[in-house]
Amino acid sequence: QVRMVESGGGSVQPGGSLRLSCVASPDTYGNNCVGWFRQVPGKEREAVAALYSGGSMTIYADSAKGRFTIAQDNAKRTVYLQMNSLKPEDTGIYYCAADLKTRAFCKLEDTTYDYWGQGTQVTVSS
């Protein structure tokens, strides 16, 4: 059963913007944490941002602060990642994930997340 579905990836030039979307199934959304992560082949998965769907708590990795914004639309069970001022080092496959155990104080540790999407490719290149 597919529980998390990402979309919105693509190719952009440095300095450009993209907005990623993650639609969650009903059993993976509601008073829980949803995070965005990214991975480049050959490298470890890296956390980007996370939010608590039951409130306003958000957390960002240092690499995302000031450039990326995570937001939610509870009616659509959707979490967005607005990415501005993109850099070549932002290239990778972006995954969203749901942590059903943590309340409010979301973490940027991929081991705490239970369900993952299939990923969407983001390429930043001139």
Side-chain angles (χ1 to χ4, degrees), residues 39-105:
Q39 189 167 23
V40 176
K43 295 187 177 181
E44 292 187 356
R45 188 161 50 196
E46 175 188 17
V48 178
L51 61 72
Y52 176 57
S53 64
S56 60
M57 182 271 180
T58 59
I59 184 172
Y60 294 89
D62 288 344
S63 60
K65 290 178 181 177
R67 299 188 300 127
F68 295 3
T69 302
I70 189 169
Q72 67 206 74
D73 184 334
N74 289 345
K76 296 181 179 179
R77 297 194 311 276
T78 300
V79 174
Y80 303 98
L81 185 68
Q82 176 67 45
M83 303 187 296
N84 299 326
S85 302
L86 283 162
K87 305 175 182 179
E89 51 264 42
D90 294 318
T91 294
I93 300 174
Y94 282 68
Y95 300 91
C96 68
D99 172 4
L100 304 186
K101 304 175 294 295
T102 305
R103 295 289 182 266
F105 300 101

